[in-house]
Amino acid sequence: MQNKNRYLVPLALVFCLFFLWAISANLLPTMIRQLMKTCELTPFEASFTESAYWLAYFICPIPIAMFMKRYTYKGGIVFGLLTAAAGALLFFPAAVIKEYWFYLCVFFVIATGMCFLETAANPYVTALGNPDTASRRLNLAQSFNGLGAFVAAMFLSKLILSGQTYTRETLPSDYAGGWDAYVNAETALMKTPYAALAILLIVIAVIFIFSHLPRIADEESTAGKLINFGVLKRRHLRWGVVAQFFYNGGQTAINSLFLVYCCTYVGISESTATTFFGLYMLAFLLGRWIGTLLMGRFRPHNMLTFYAVANIVLCAVVVACGGMTGLYAMIGISFFMSIMYPTQFSLAIRDLGQDTKSGSAFLVMAIVGNACLPQLTAYVMTHNPAWYYVAYAIPLLCFAVCAYYGWRGYRVRD
């Protein structure tokens, strides 16, 4: 009981981080839709917003793991919070410059900060308590990630998307100020949510600076390699990295194109689309909470397999039907995606000991799947407009890899 109380406050603080990076990541689908308007982009071009963000997750985890090996998890968390806050404040010069390349740089900086948080928080949560309940504990933490995703989708997206969707050709001739005024108005809407996010990040950073976080086993010694590539010889970790690559790519392909799917292909308004997006993320949040409760009764790898198979079936519905049927199927997909990332993560870092930071870095690097598979999905969708829903065969294949990991790949054999 004393150990549980010792970990209660640190866990509560770290749970806040899951909420924060979910806000950041789940604003991207809204920003894709908004940048299509302000920078006059196609869905395929705008999808590189995801690439810029998630590329940081491929480049940064190894340096971050080395940083935390020397300066502890707490040092990494504080530095990450302040870096992400600086990136969010860059939206003010971005609103003046109004160039797509600058927005991509801004997202890269924000993602670098969030990458610090994710590389630190996931293994830290698994270490604060009984190893046998690590998957359940991480899923509980990731429930706050689901809450952040819901807030970003249901509320913040409505602050950014005005409901006015014009091109130079369709802009009303009597629109005050013309095209430049329209772009200025749409651009200004992006600043407020990111300013609020920056303030929140700074406040949380200050709280962490003055808080005590217990050192855990792999922090007791700074001897040895700062990063150990040899940890990839562990089969269950290696397959975990592969599964995370495909899971993240499949999830982000669906998330990032959700509003584009609703508005461009199904033909519903931005206001209605953001409500559906909120319901989509609410399903994700409910899935996390329900999944966390179910893990008290079922083994994590069995739940992972079942949830992945359910998503294969639902993706097949999207591929076969498209339209509103496909939209409702995506809400179901969101529910079943909920536990997959944290479950795969906790299974992959089992028994890594002092190599946990290295294993965590490689697992976070696997998020680079977000930087390529959504673009492939967007490319297929954009170049086959009459058969746009066929593009969802790509997430289907991604979930098939996850199903294999839950069935066999998770086993610790070496």
Side-chain angles (χ1 to χ4, degrees), residues 235-236 239 301 347 350 404-412:
R235 180 183 179 276
H236 72 289
W239 268 109
H301 65 89
L347 290 172
R350 284 178 62 197
Y404 174 79
Y405 188 66
W407 178 43
R408 287 186 180 274
Y410 77 94
R411 296 178 182 176
V412 180

Side-chain angles (χ1 to χ4, degrees), residues 1-12 15 125 127-131 133 136-137 140 214:
M1 182 63 69
Q2 186 176 1
N3 240 11
K4 288 184 179 178
N5 291 335
R6 177 187 172 218
Y7 291 147
L8 189 61
V9 173
L11 279 172
F15 284 1
V125 165
L128 288 178
N130 185 343
T133 58
R136 191 178 184 189
R137 196 161 53 249
L140 176 61

Side-chain angles (χ1 to χ4, degrees), residues 267-298:
I268 59 182
S269 69
E270 282 187 348
S271 176
T272 304
T274 53
T275 300
F276 271 110
F277 194 36
L279 294 174
Y280 173 88
M281 287 303 179
L282 179 60
F284 189 80
L285 174 60
L286 291 174
R288 281 264 164 92
W289 285 107
I290 293 171
T292 301
L293 292 173
L294 290 176
M295 279 192 182
R297 301 187 60 185
F298 301 100

Side-chain angles (χ1 to χ4, degrees), residues 3 19 46 145 152 181 227 268 280 299 338 404:
N3 240 11
F19 178 82
N145 185 276
I227 190 76
I268 59 182
Y280 173 88
R299 292 180 177 179
S338 56
Y404 174 79

Side-chain angles (χ1 to χ4, degrees), residues 303-354:
M303 288 188 63
L304 173 62
T305 305
F306 178 81
Y307 276 44
V309 170
N311 274 343
I312 292 170
V313 173
L314 289 167
C315 281
V317 172
V318 182
V319 171
C321 303
M324 288 300 297
T325 301
L327 180 56
Y328 292 126
M330 283 187 216
I331 295 175
I333 291 170
S334 185
F335 179 91
F336 287 108
M337 286 193 298
S338 56
I339 69 156
M340 294 174 69
Y341 178 88
T343 302
Q344 290 180 166
F345 196 102
S346 59
L347 290 172
I349 62 172
R350 284 178 62 197
D351 299 331
L352 295 186
Q354 291 191 352

Side-chain angles (χ1 to χ4, degrees), residues 203-260:
V203 170
I204 298 295
V206 171
I207 293 173
F208 266 94
I209 289 170
F210 293 102
S211 298
H212 171 70
L213 294 186
R215 293 172 71 90
I216 57 178
D218 70 324
E219 290 188 305
E220 294 302 327
S221 173
T222 57
K225 299 177 181 178
L226 291 178
I227 190 76
N228 182 12
F229 288 89
V231 74
L232 289 171
K233 293 178 181 177
R234 303 293 299 275
R235 180 183 179 276
H236 72 289
L237 172 65
R238 193 166 61 247
W239 268 109
V241 171
V242 173
Q244 291 293 62
F245 175 89
F246 282 100
Y247 167 74
N248 282 287
Q251 181 199 37
T252 303
I254 297 171
N255 285 5
S256 64
L257 295 170
F258 187 88
L259 293 173
V260 175

Side-chain angles (χ1 to χ4, degrees), residues 77-105:
I77 288 168
V78 171
F79 189 83
L81 286 164
L82 295 177
T83 300
L89 292 173
L90 286 175
F91 263 90
F92 287 88
V96 176
I97 296 171
K98 297 187 184 71
E99 293 286 347
Y100 186 43
W101 66 266
F102 193 86
Y103 284 113
L104 296 182
C105 293

